[in-house]
Amino acid sequence: MARQVEATLQQEALSPPDSLSMDQAACAALAQAVGDEYTQWLSPDQMQELAMDISGDETAGIGAELVTVEKGWQVVEVAEQSPAQTAGLSKGDIIVKINGDPVGTQDWMPEEGVTTLFTVERDGVCRDLVIIPQKIEPLTPIVMKSLPNDYGYIRIRSFVQEGVETQFDQAMEKFSQAKGVVIDLRHNPGGRMDAVVEMINGLLPNQTEILCLLEAKGKQEVYTTNENQKYNVPIVVLTDQQSASAAEIFAGVLQNQNRATIVGETTYGKGVVQKLKTLKDGSGLKYTMAEYRLADGTIIHQKGVEPDIEVQQDGLPGLASTELEDQALQTAVRFLENQQSITKEN
C-alpha cells in the first residue's frame, strides 16, 4: 500500500516529491505509528543539534536557562555577557510569546544571528525584548553553593551533557565533610542513564543492585554499583512534577536504598528508556527499548517517585540565593538539622 502511494505520487502528482523527501516522511510516519510518545525520527539537523547538546560544544542560544511554567517559560538564570543579558532579560521573567505567538503553540529553536522578539512578563507587566541568538557555550550541568551552617547545595540541571559525572563528583568531594547535602533535581528532564548510574556509584556500597531493565522479548538486565562507596554525607533530594526520566532513577534509587530522603512533589513518571540509532543519511531514530524498575521491583512509569516529605513548590530551581523563600529547600535543611540533632543525642 505504501509503495502504491509512493508510485502514484511520483508518477501522477502535479508536484511529485523527491525520493529523499519521501523516505524522510516515511521514517517519520513509521516512528509515529508505534504509538509511543517517546519514539521519533530525527532529521540530520536535529541529530547534529542533539550531538552538540551532549558534547557541550558551542551552539546557537540566548544564554539563559528556561523552565516550563503555566504561563510560558520562566527564566531561572541569565549568563553574563550573553544575548539575553544584553537585551535585558532577568531572572524570574516569564517569556509568554516569541515573535508574537504564544510559547505553548510553537517549537522554537534559536538560530544564530536571527533577530527574535520576546514578549516578557515581569511583575505583572508585559514588555517586548529583542534578542539575537549567538553561538555560546551551554550552561554547566552542575550548580553548587554552600548553605549556612555547613550544608551543601548541588543542583543537577540535567544528565545530558558529557562530563556531568565528573562535575558531580567534584561537587560531592567539596561537600564530603559537610553536615548534609541537598541535591536539587527540580525541573530536571533527565538525560543519559549511564551518567546517572555512574553518579550513584559513589553514593552506595559496591555491588548494590539498583535497577532492572525489562527489554524486548523478555530480556532483562540488572544494574549494580561497581565501586566502593566514596561519600557518606547525609543527602536530601528535591523533586517536583518536572523531575523526569534519569532524574527519577537518581531519586528513586537513593530513596529505595534508604540513602536519601525525598522532599517536594511526586515526579513526572517516565520509567522507560530510549535508544538513539544513527541512520545512513545522518538522521536518527529514537525509540523506547526498555522499561526500568527499581531493585525491589518498584515501578516508576506513569506513577513517579513519591516524596517522603511532600512540599508544594513555591520556588524555582536555581534560585538558591533566595533560599529563605524556597520552602522545599528550607524543609530539606531543617530535616538535615533534625537528623544531625538525633545523631548527636544518640
Side-chain angles (χ1 to χ4, degrees), residues 47 65 128 134 197 201 319:
M47 286 290 286
E65 181 182 5
D128 289 334
Q134 301 295 335
V197 170
N201 258 332
L319 299 182

Side-chain angles (χ1 to χ4, degrees), residues 114-128:
V114 177
T115 300
T116 308
L117 181 67
F118 287 76
T119 302
V120 175
E121 181 180 311
R122 182 185 302 168
D123 299 326
V125 178
C126 286
R127 66 197 70 193
D128 289 334

Side-chain angles (χ1 to χ4, degrees), residues 236-343:
V236 172
V237 175
L238 299 182
T239 61
D240 64 9
Q241 296 175 25
Q242 302 302 315
S243 306
S245 190
E248 295 178 278
I249 293 177
F250 189 98
V253 167
L254 295 187
Q255 181 189 54
N256 193 249
Q257 298 295 328
N258 297 313
R259 181 64 183 88
T261 298
I262 311 299
V263 171
E265 299 174 335
T266 299
T267 60
Y268 183 81
K270 181 179 181 290
V272 289
V273 179
Q274 282 70 50
K275 186 174 183 179
L276 184 62
K277 183 174 183 177
T278 302
L279 306 178
K280 291 181 179 180
D281 66 344
S283 65
L285 179 65
K286 184 179 72 170
Y287 60 97
T288 298
M289 50 80 65
E291 178 183 351
Y292 69 81
R293 296 183 182 177
L294 301 180
D296 65 353
T298 297
I299 297 172
I300 290 179
H301 194 54
Q302 298 182 337
K303 293 185 177 181
V305 177
E306 295 184 3
D308 300 295
I309 303 173
E310 186 172 2
V311 178
Q312 295 298 314
Q313 302 300 304
D314 57 356
L316 285 173
L319 299 182
S321 59
T322 60
E323 58 260 11
L324 292 177
E325 301 174 9
D326 189 335
Q327 185 180 353
L329 180 56
Q330 283 297 296
T331 300
V333 172
R334 284 196 300 269
F335 176 84
L336 289 170
E337 289 174 338
N338 290 338
Q339 292 300 107
Q340 184 78 10
S341 297
I342 293 172
T343 301

